[in-house]
Amino acid sequence: MSRLVVVSNRVAVPDDGPARAGGLAVALREALQESGGIWFGWSGKSVARPSEEPTITEAPPVTYATLDLSRRDHQEYYNGFANRTLWPLFHYRLDLAEFNRQDYAGYLRVNTHFAEKLRPLIRESDDIWVHDYHLIPFASELRRLGVGNRIGFFLHTPFPAMEVFLALPSHERLARSLCAYDVVGFQSMNDLRAFQDYIVHEQRGEILGDNMLRAFGRTLRAEVYPIGIEVETMQRTAAHAMQESQLRRLVKHMGDRQLMIGVDRLDYSKGIPERFRAFERFLQKYPANQGRVSLMQIAPVSRGEVPEYRNIRAELESLAGHINGVYGELDWMPIRYLNKGFPRDTLTGFYRVCRVGVVTPLRDGMNLVAKEYVASQNPHEPGVLVLSRFAGAARELDAALLVNPFDHENVADALNRALAMPLEERRERWEAMMLRVHDSSLDKWRERFLSVLRAVPEGGYAAA
Ligand code: F6P
């Protein structure tokens, strides 16, 4: 088996503590352990004078190679173009997208620099797998440096509809860069269709069947690979979580009241203000639930240096304060809003004791919380998932109560229906969802992508 080189903005270096690594990190590490290889990317640090050479951590058969960013690169590449331009644009938030030439130059500069630093570490037979919107130009930079290896790319976010993508001044350069890969993976059919649409209608490219396409003088495979979770691990952890002290505290405090749960990075794409408003509407429209049901919203702060993220934080504090002030009682608060993260083991337990999982992003590539909520349920007494139709997960989890997060009335009704749902229907829906969660487990996702990448003929498709 050829060696694997994984490239991603964040790298889960084992020294950072394995307990902190999320499911994706574990899956990528496993892939690297099977074939040996390198995990390359940003160290997570921005410093005044970054070292020219990567920091190497050897954990045979895997080598971790990370680079620090200068403060300017961090600002322009990460806070700037990645998170103030691409992120809002890919999540359909043109109103929040900043188009700044300097940030774009910084984004290209970091991609070029990273590619130059990885180049000497690559062997001719390596397969290279690049992740996410921070690194779209990475393959074209490697190709410029003479790398002819198989290179795959997986986009963890949505790919926007053509008309939205066209608003990006550098749309053509980015699309050309995507076509420098041999395999491009998307989360859902929507994303693939949007990409194909752009390639055909804007670039006069050609769809060749069997998910192949030709554009910018290259032939590549563009396909859907819905990402998943470690299902069995999640189930096992959730079943044992009841022994945890935090969970026992929560259950004791709940008494005979019901809890709904939302868990998201504090990000405007997650639709948390809209969720709070829908919850308020639910309390108004179905007042018997006042004093009986609370929404627990866990939202650890994320990308805190980006102004739009500071704004959403302030908006949520004020909204939660308003709702709790108006509806709260001495012994009951409608919203429990926590700006901190919890270990995944604890979260699985929270999911299990909460009757309703509220996953209502305005737009999301996949949303693994939806799948984690389902996998964590007690099979004999599962809770109900209320899921936004704009999350990639809605394609698979169509047995959830699907909602339009922009329509508060619709979400309020779904919350009420979820609470009142008879056990038999809860079980039926849960079983249907579990089948889908198993179908696209994290292992299957990884194996599918890598087997397609490894099947690319030497020299790429055009050479075949
Ligand atoms: O695709 C979105 C994503 O990059 C995820 O992979 C990750 O969980 C999240 O954003 C983390 O964001 P950041 O690296 O900016 O903290």
Side-chain angles (χ1 to χ4, degrees), residues 9-10 24 42 78 83 87 91 131-134 155-158 187 265 267 270 301-303 309 364-365:
N9 180 54
R10 297 213 186 249
L24 176 62
W42 177 38
Y78 175 76
N83 287 323
W87 180 270
H91 290 83
H131 290 261
D132 231 352
Y133 60 103
H134 315 83
L155 183 65
H156 291 256
T157 67
Q187 295 274 28
R265 266 185 320 103
D267 191 303
K270 304 293 182 185
V301 173
S302 161
R303 303 174 191 167
Y309 287 77
D364 215 331

Side-chain angles (χ1 to χ4, degrees), residues 383-420:
V384 181
L385 178 65
V386 173
L387 177 61
S388 162
R389 57 170 301 161
F390 302 117
R395 297 246 141 202
E396 297 160 89
L397 305 184
D398 52 1
L401 291 183
L402 294 185
V403 294
N404 172 0
F406 297 95
D407 180 354
H408 303 159
E409 204 71 22
N410 174 227
V411 177
D413 291 343
L415 295 179
N416 190 53
R417 183 168 166 208
L419 276 180

